[in-house]
């Protein structure tokens, strides 16, 4: 089966790419299930019910998140009611929401999704290495295919998680840095790995935010208000082909589409199968 993991959707530019182009990407790559990181979907900070529902409507099956999950207060209620929205599994016990979900493809095949967050240069949550193993144990009987979104800053911690889970999960895909890395591979025991899948949002930006205020903060050390940028929207994602009998990955490929490339894909899809007129 083919799984697609879409990198952090940032603000309206990111949501628009998903709304207009995701179906065409799904068709073009024969995708069976879509996971997307939604932590920056609401103007760069968090996610709301309206926005989450619209992403599910656009073809996303499971939403993961990370350090921005609580930025919008209403996410607290939304995550309690919507099992397809995950927060990192290694938040302390008692925190609302869940860190894993077993989804079904359109034809009823199970796909487990786990979300965890790193601790290096980030909030010190519970040990993600131990927590992810526990989550895998708790869903393994329901799904051999298991995808982990590891939301982390440090490349070393992400690679360590890849080796830790080699042979135990189908894929470990990194999120959070908003910059796609070129190190996709299948580890020796069959686990697909990519340090970061990148960002679905405006790329003429500083990781999604307008250049001026973000740059000013580096230049002056003073606080600034950040708004999502608008220019050069791109969809970044990764495709993982999985053998559902073994849970192993058989292929991993990064993908990226500019707005124009996505438009062309949509147009190709809509003309495909149109009968020629005399
Ligand atoms: Fe993010
Ligand atoms: Fe993040």
């Amino acid at each position: 089966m083919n799984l697609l993991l879409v990198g952090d959707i940032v603000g309206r530019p990111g949501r628009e790419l998903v709304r207009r182009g995701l179906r065409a990407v799904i068709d073009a790559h024969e995708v069976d299930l879509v996971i997307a990181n939604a932590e920056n979907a609401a103007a760069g900070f968090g996610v709301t019910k309206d926005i989450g529902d619209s992403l599910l409507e656009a073809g996303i099956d499971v939403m993961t998140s990370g350090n921005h999950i609580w930025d919008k207060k209403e996410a607290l209620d939304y995550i309690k009611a919507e099992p397809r929205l995950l927060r990192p599994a290694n938040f302390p016990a008692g925190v609302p929401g869940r860190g894993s979900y077993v989804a079904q493809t359109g034809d009823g095949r199970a796909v487990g999704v786990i979300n965890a967050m790193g601790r290096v240069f980030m909030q010190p949550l519970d040990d993600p290495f131990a927590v992810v193993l526990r989550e895998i144990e708790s869903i393994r009987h329901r799904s051999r295919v298991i995808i982990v979104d590891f939301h982390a800053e440090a490349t070393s911690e992400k690679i360590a998680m890849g080796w830790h889970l080699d042979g135990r999960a189908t894929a470990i895909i990194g999120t959070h840095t908003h910059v796609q890395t070129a190190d996709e591979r299948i580890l020796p025991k069959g686990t697909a790995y990519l340090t970061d899948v990148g960002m679905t949002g405006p790329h003429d930006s500083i990781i999604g935010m307008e250049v001026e205020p973000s740059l000013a903060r580096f230049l002056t050390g003073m606080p600034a208000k950040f708004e999502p940028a608008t220019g050069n929207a791109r969809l970044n994602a990764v495709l993982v082909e999985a053998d559902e009998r073994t849970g192993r990955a058989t292929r991993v490929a990064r993908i990226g589409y500019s707005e124009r490339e996505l438009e062309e894909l949509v147009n190709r899809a809509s003309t495909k199968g149109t009968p020629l007129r005399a």
Side-chain angles (χ1 to χ4, degrees):
M1 68 167 79
N2 294 322
L3 307 157
L4 182 74
L5 196 144
V6 178
D8 300 32
I9 298 164
V10 176
R12 188 181 297 275
R15 298 193 319 262
E16 275 299 300
L17 287 177
V18 167
R19 189 181 67 77
R20 297 211 314 266
L22 184 61
R23 298 277 178 198
V25 176
I26 290 171
D27 287 350
H29 298 283
E30 298 176 340
V31 171
D32 296 297
L33 193 109
V34 182
I35 302 153
N37 192 302
E39 71 154 7
N40 308 109
F45 299 94
V47 62
T48 63
K49 178 175 170 17
D50 283 355
I51 285 173
D53 287 352
S54 73
L55 294 175
L56 294 169
E57 185 70 24
I60 290 167
D61 296 289
V62 184
M63 296 179 285
T64 54
S65 66
N67 52 307
H68 287 292
I69 180 62
W70 312 121
D71 287 0
K72 294 280 179 285
K73 219 169 152 190
E74 65 167 283
L76 274 171
D77 289 327
Y78 185 43
I79 205 165
K80 287 182 203 160
E82 179 50 81
R84 293 172 292 176
L85 172 62
L86 301 182
R87 46 87 173 153
N90 54 324
F91 271 105
V95 167
R98 285 152 295 258
S100 66
Y101 179 71
V102 178
Q104 305 275 326
T105 62
D107 54 6
R109 291 172 289 167
V111 178
V113 182
I114 297 172
N115 191 189
M117 196 160 103
R119 295 189 293 186
V120 178
F121 311 128
M122 297 185 93
Q123 196 185 352
L125 298 181
D126 292 348
D127 174 5
F129 294 87
V131 168
V132 168
L133 284 188
R134 275 208 299 278
E135 292 287 339
I136 289 174
E137 280 320 307
S138 75
I139 62 172
R140 188 188 282 296
H141 65 287
R142 292 160 63 201
S143 176
R144 289 198 90 93
V145 174
I146 296 175
I147 307 293
V148 178
D149 172 347
F150 189 39
H151 196 79
E153 182 80 41
T155 304
S156 56
E157 193 180 20
K158 290 160 125 168
I159 294 177
M161 184 64 88
W163 287 105
H164 182 55
L165 299 183
D166 185 22
R168 292 164 154 153
T170 308
I172 317 303
I173 305 298
T175 57
H176 176 68
T177 70
H178 294 194
V179 177
Q180 192 175 70
T181 58
D183 60 337
E184 74 278 17
R185 63 179 290 190
I186 296 181
L187 295 168
K189 293 177 185 161
T191 297
Y193 176 81
L194 176 64
T195 295
D196 209 292
V197 62
M199 168 180 74
T200 294
H203 279 65
D204 284 350
S205 69
I206 296 179
I207 62 168
M209 296 295 123
E210 284 176 337
V211 170
E212 289 287 315
S214 185
L215 177 59
R217 195 163 80 168
F218 285 101
L219 295 178
T220 66
M222 291 169 68
K225 191 169 185 294
F226 291 163
E227 303 279 354
T230 51
N232 189 17
R234 291 188 66 87
L235 181 145
N236 279 172
V238 62
L239 284 161
V240 176
E241 185 187 72
D243 180 338
E244 60 224 69
R245 290 162 309 147
T246 61
R248 282 173 163 236
T250 46
R251 201 173 78 92
V252 56
R254 288 176 286 126
I255 57 171
Y257 289 97
S258 69
E259 232 167 336
R260 219 182 82 205
E261 289 162 346
L262 214 49
E263 212 60 59
E264 282 166 14
L265 200 67
V266 172
N267 292 337
R268 269 211 299 280
S270 64
T271 52
K272 205 170 33 176
T274 308
L276 288 170
R277 277 186 215 112

